[in-house]
Structures are given as C-alpha cells and as structure tokens.
C-alpha cells in the first residue's frame, strides 16, 4: 500500500442511544435492546419486537435518516478535529429512507400525513449529497446499496482510495432506522424471531430482529493525520470483498464467499493464517442458515486458528442494522480494540454441533487485543471483511 489508512473519528447511534458510552452500556454488557416498537402498528405482524430507539418529542424528525446521519457526521468530524470545507470523499451505505415511501402512499390513499420526510429521501444517492452538504465537505460522493454489506463496502472503497493516494480523507457512513416496509418484508419471509430474542450460534436460535443503526467514521491517510496532529484511533490494515452468488437469499452452506473475503483481508494485513487475530465480530444474524455457514466459513478461512479466536455477534444486542451493520459493527470492533473488552454474544443458551467456536457467550471478556476482524454478508452472496489494528 502507498498510504496507511487510519481512523480518526466516529459518531454512532443505536437503540442504546448516541455515542460510544451508549454502546459500552448496552452492547459490551450484553444487554439486548429489543422491545415492542410503537413507530407503526405491529398488529398485522408475527412479532412487535425491534431494537428501535424510544419515541421522543421530535420522533418524526428522529426517524428521518437524513437528520440521524447529520448528527453522527458532526460527531465524527468533531472527534477527528476536521473543519467544515475539508476536501473529503463521502461514501454512504444506505437503501434510502423507506419511511418517505410509506408516508407517501398512505397520503395518496387518503390517510392523514405523518411527518414531512420528502419522498426524494427514498433515493439513496440524495442522502449522500445531503450529508456532504450538511458537513460542508467537498470531494466525490458515492452511495452503496448492496444490502447488509453496503456500509462495509463504502469503508473498503475508502480504504482503496486512500491507500492508492487518490484521496487523503474519506467520510464513510451507513444508516437504517426501523420502519414498516422492511419490517413487513422480513416478517413475510418468516425471518423474524417471534419470542423477542436473538440467539446467534445457539442451537435454539429462531431468527433475527431489526434495529436502529447509524454511524459515520472518518478515515485518513496516516501521513495526512500526522501533518495536522490528529490522533489515530486505529489503523485499517486489511480489507476484502467476495461473492459466492450461491442463492438470492441463503448463504453458501460452506461460507465460501465469506472465507474468501476474510482471507483477502488477512493477506493484505500480512497475516494470512490469522495467527495474530484476537477477535472476530461476526455477521451472526441468529438464523439457522447464516450461523452454521458462517462458522464453516471461518474454519475454512483460518483452519489452524479458528478454535482459538473469540467470535461474537453483536446483533444479539443491537438487532440487524441492515445497510448500517458494517459501519456500526466497525465502530464496535474499534471499541473492542481500544477498550480491551470483547462484546459478548447475548442470549446464548444451548451449544449447536454446527456452531462449535468460542462465541463469548453472554458476558464481556477482558482481552489484550492488537488486531480484530469484522465481517458482514448480504443477500445475493456478497461478503466483506475489514481488519483493524490498535496503534
């Protein structure tokens, strides 16, 4: 690589609240954030549960992704010490604001209007433009819409831009807030857990639950950060992306694409067999198909070390954040490195012969970490992997 990639700032929001301390109180303590959501009528669905932030006095505005992205972006730039007007690429992983679509059609059908989220906010690229404009960032803008790897793909693209010298700074973001359109689709597919819990890698796992997630991270070349006196939080030393194109929705049963992405990332990090890897933040949806395939994929990627590397799924506390999963879990992995604490897999009850790794069940674990890997997967067989290293 011609340029080392460093992380200098982040902003994050989940159902636990805003900022790193909210994640520490929730994710790192293994406290699930699932509750009946009141954002829409859940009566027609098989479960009312989601990891959605409580309604507040400005609930309609809070549900608008544009505002959540703006707030997290401002936090990230402030932490990084970057001023408005900075030349930076803006890379966003998002599928648009679905609440805009839902409200539009309800209004067309004669229902009372609810909120003023513009229909144009349903266009993913518009949200990248709005975020760049709010943060006064000049530079290229690009939006990724490839489902649950979207924001991880944005980070990978940023790393490629920085390492090749095409940009010094990139602001990467992702967002999903629980809304009825996607909730109904997952409910129709019987993918949602009906008992209000997500139990990744456990024999009695029964499905996922959706969650609020918005995060923004600032990536810079190490030289650029040094020139302006910025303190690096971590380095991104490896990245990989692969597809197995096995099925429109189901993962490859042996986790082939995930293993390939992980191996790419580790080779770039100079540790192809994973000997120096101290933790893996898994995709871990809590579904029958994903967790067994992911376990086999990790064994294929690290045949000599898989059993000794702790693995956990933080979706057991945050819910599945869809397009935002990659960037929020990137922040969680960063905190694991800097705090020296492994977030647990909450809700774990019964070992499954298909899932036979160390899943950090139910309680956080102290660990002196140097490197960690975060992986994500998406419908259609897309897979991503990112390796972070402590300074």
């Amino acid at each position: 690589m011609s340029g080392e990639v460093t992380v200098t700032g982040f902003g994050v929001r989940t159902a636990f609240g805003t900022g790193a301390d909210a994640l520490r109180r929730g994710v790192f303590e293994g406290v699930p954030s699932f509750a009946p959501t009141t954002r829409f009528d859940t009566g027609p669905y098989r479960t009312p549960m989601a990891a959605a932030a409580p309604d507040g006095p400005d609930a309609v505005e809070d549900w608008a992704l544009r505002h959540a992205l703006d707030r997290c972006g401002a936090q990230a730039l402030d932490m990084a010490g970057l001023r408005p007007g900075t030349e930076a690429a803006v890379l966003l992983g998002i599928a648009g604001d679905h609440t805009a679509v839902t409200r539009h059609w309800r209004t067309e059908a004669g229902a009372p209007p609810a909120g003023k989220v513009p229909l144009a906010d349903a266009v993913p690229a518009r949200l990248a433009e709005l975020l760049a404009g709010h943060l006064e960032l000049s530079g290229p803008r690009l939006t990724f819409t490839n489902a649950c790897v979207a924001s991880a793909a944005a980070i990978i693209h940023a790393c490629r831009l920085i390492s090749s010298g095409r940009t010094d700074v990139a602001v990467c973001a992702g967002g999903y807030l629980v809304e009825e359109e996607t909730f109904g689709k997952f409910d129709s597919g019987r993918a949602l857990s009906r008992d209000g819990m997500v139990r990744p890698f456990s024999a009695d796992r029964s499905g996922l639950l959706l969650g609020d997630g918005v995060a923004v991270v600032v990536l810079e070349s190490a030289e650029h950060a040094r020139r302006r006196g910025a303190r690096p939080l971590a380095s991104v030393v490896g990245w990989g992306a692969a597809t197995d194109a096995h099925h429109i929705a189901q993962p490859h049963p042996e986790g082939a694409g995930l293993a390939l992405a992980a191996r790419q990332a580790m080779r770039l990090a100079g540790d192809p067999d994973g000997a120096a890897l101290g933790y893996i933040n898994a995709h871990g949806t809590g579904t029958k198909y994903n967790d067994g395939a992911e376990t086999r994929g990790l064994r294929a990627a690290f045949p000599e070390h898989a059993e000794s590397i702790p693995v956990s799924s933080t979706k057991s506390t945050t819910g599945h954040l869809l397009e935002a999963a990659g960037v929020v879990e990137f922040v969680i992995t960063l905190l694991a490195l800097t705090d020296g604490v492994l977030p647990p897999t909450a809700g774990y009850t019964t070992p499954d012969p298909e899932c036979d790794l160390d899943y950090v069940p139910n309680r956080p674990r102290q660990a002196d970490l140097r490197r960690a890997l975060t992986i994500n997967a998406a419908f259609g067989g897309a897979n991503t992997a990112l390796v972070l290293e402590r300074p």
Side-chain angles (χ1 to χ4, degrees), residues 205 244-259 287-300 354-355 377 381 383:
R205 63 190 184 275
D244 50 53
H246 168 72
H247 188 272
I248 193 170
Q250 296 174 15
H252 189 285
E254 299 302 316
L258 184 145
T287 59
K288 289 291 183 184
Y289 283 115
N290 176 89
D291 296 2
E294 186 166 12
T295 298
R296 289 185 286 276
L298 291 175
R299 282 192 168 276
E354 269 200 308
C355 302
N383 301 270

Side-chain angles (χ1 to χ4, degrees), residues 71-374:
R71 293 180 187 125
C72 288
Q75 292 162 14
L77 290 190
D78 184 62
M79 184 184 294
L82 288 172
R83 288 177 286 183
T86 296
E87 184 174 347
V90 176
L91 308 171
L92 178 58
I94 207 161
D97 194 333
H98 295 290
T99 57
V101 178
T102 306
R103 287 170 183 156
H104 169 79
W105 288 116
R106 283 189 171 153
T107 303
E108 287 289 302
K116 297 180 180 179
V117 179
L119 182 58
D121 283 8
V123 179
R126 171 179 164 83
L127 294 172
E129 291 293 322
L130 290 171
L131 177 63
H134 178 80
L135 300 178
E136 300 179 46
L137 300 175
S138 60
R141 294 94 186 258
L142 187 61
T143 301
F144 295 79
T145 60
N146 46 341
C148 307
V149 300
S151 54
I155 294 172
I156 289 171
H157 189 63
C159 290
R160 289 169 173 161
L161 291 176
I162 292 169
S163 67
S164 63
R166 285 178 284 174
T167 190
D168 284 324
V169 184
V171 173
C172 304
Y176 173 75
L177 300 180
V178 175
E179 40 68 44
E180 189 171 8
E181 180 181 338
T182 305
F183 190 97
K185 289 174 181 175
F186 275 85
D187 181 81
S188 296
R190 298 179 179 263
L192 301 181
S193 171
R194 297 189 68 183
D195 63 5
M197 293 294 293
V198 178
R199 292 180 291 276
F201 306 110
S202 186
D204 57 349
R205 63 190 184 275
S206 59
L208 60 88
L209 291 170
L210 300 176
D212 284 354
V214 178
V216 179
V217 297
V218 177
L219 304 183
E220 296 184 58
S221 71
E223 178 57 31
H224 186 270
R226 276 193 295 268
R227 283 201 307 268
R228 63 183 196 86
R231 181 178 69 89
L233 305 174
S235 297
V236 188
V237 295
W239 50 86
T243 181
D244 50 53
H246 168 72
H247 188 272
I248 193 170
Q250 296 174 15
H252 189 285
E254 299 302 316
L258 184 145
L260 181 56
R263 285 195 295 265
Q264 287 177 5
M266 296 307 298
R267 277 199 301 271
L268 190 58
D271 182 23
D273 63 356
L277 200 55
Y279 168 63
I280 299 173
N281 187 292
H283 190 60
T285 60
T287 59
K288 289 291 183 184
Y289 283 115
N290 176 89
D291 296 2
E294 186 166 12
T295 298
R296 289 185 286 276
L298 291 175
R299 282 192 168 276
F302 310 115
E304 296 180 9
H305 300 285
E307 292 186 359
S308 63
I309 303 172
V311 178
S312 71
S313 169
T314 51
K315 290 181 179 70
S316 60
T317 54
T318 65
H320 197 335
L321 313 176
L322 302 184
E323 291 81 15
V327 66
V328 173
E329 290 163 14
F330 181 91
V331 172
I332 292 169
T333 306
L334 170 64
L335 290 176
L337 280 174
T338 56
D339 292 358
V341 179
L342 305 183
T345 300
Y348 187 90
T349 56
T350 309
D352 183 343
E354 269 200 308
C355 302
D356 54 358
L357 301 177
D358 174 6
Y359 300 113
V360 195
N362 298 316
R363 292 181 178 83
R365 184 185 301 170
Q366 299 293 317
D368 183 16
L369 295 175
R370 182 68 180 170
R371 278 187 172 180
L373 172 71
T374 177

